């Protein structure tokens, strides 16, 4: 799942694992990202922790993006849709995690006269 954001009249892609939270839009929508030096919560993916440690001193990181709109209902819709999509992806990942240990049962053969 990617978050597409307009930067310099083109769409920039950000994976969903990069952002920490989205603050509820009043007139603005602010998206915070994980950066080196900030405390990382336990919900951060292992590969994200690895990348932040590996490239923390070598790369530039975006700390936050802020979007404004004359009609705040547009940003509210974007916020709501992204939150719902993120929730569905998280549920799908949890379901896959729970089902990975399941064993496929062979077809049962019915024995007659018993």
């Amino acid at each position: 799942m990617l978050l597409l954001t307009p930067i310099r009249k083109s769409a920039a892609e950000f994976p969903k694992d990069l952002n920490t939270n989205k603050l509820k839009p009043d007139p603005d929508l602010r998206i915070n990202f994980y950066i080196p030096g900030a405390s990382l919560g336990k919900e951060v993916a292992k590969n994200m922790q690895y990348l932040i440690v590996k490239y923390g001193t070598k790369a530039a990181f975006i700390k936050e993006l802020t979007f404004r709109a004359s009609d705040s209902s547009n940003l509210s819709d974007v916020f709501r849709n992204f939150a719902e999509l993120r929730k569905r992806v998280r549920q799908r990942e949890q379901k896959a995690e729970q089902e990975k240990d399941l064993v496929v049962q062979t077809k049962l053969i019915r024995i007659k006269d018993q």
Side-chain angles (χ1 to χ4, degrees), residues 3 5 19-33 62-69 75-76 78-79 82 86:
L3 173 65
T5 58
N19 55 342
T20 59
N21 60 9
K22 287 146 302 296
L23 300 178
K24 191 149 183 103
D26 30 17
D28 301 343
L29 174 64
R30 190 172 78 201
I31 303 171
N32 298 324
F33 294 97
I62 296 175
K63 183 176 180 180
E64 70 181 24
L65 293 173
T66 303
F67 298 96
R68 291 186 180 187
L75 289 180
S76 296
V78 169
F79 174 78
F82 189 76
R86 190 173 186 186

Side-chain angles (χ1 to χ4, degrees), residues 60-106:
F61 285 79
I62 296 175
K63 183 176 180 180
E64 70 181 24
L65 293 173
T66 303
F67 298 96
R68 291 186 180 187
S70 57
D71 184 10
S72 64
S73 65
N74 292 337
L75 289 180
S76 296
D77 291 342
V78 169
F79 174 78
R80 184 179 40 80
N81 290 336
F82 189 76
E84 288 175 6
L85 184 60
R86 190 173 186 186
K87 180 180 174 183
R88 283 188 299 211
V89 168
R90 191 176 310 124
Q91 287 174 346
R92 190 180 323 132
E93 289 172 351
Q94 287 175 349
K95 184 179 178 184
E97 181 71 26
Q98 291 172 351
E99 292 178 350
K100 75 176 184 180
D101 296 332
L102 293 179
V103 178
V104 177
Q105 183 177 355
T106 58

Side-chain angles (χ1 to χ4, degrees), residues 45-58:
K46 298 283 186 201
N47 62 343
M48 185 56 56
Q49 292 176 356
Y50 171 75
L51 291 173
I52 289 174
V53 169
K54 181 178 178 181
Y55 296 108
T57 59
K58 302 174 188 173

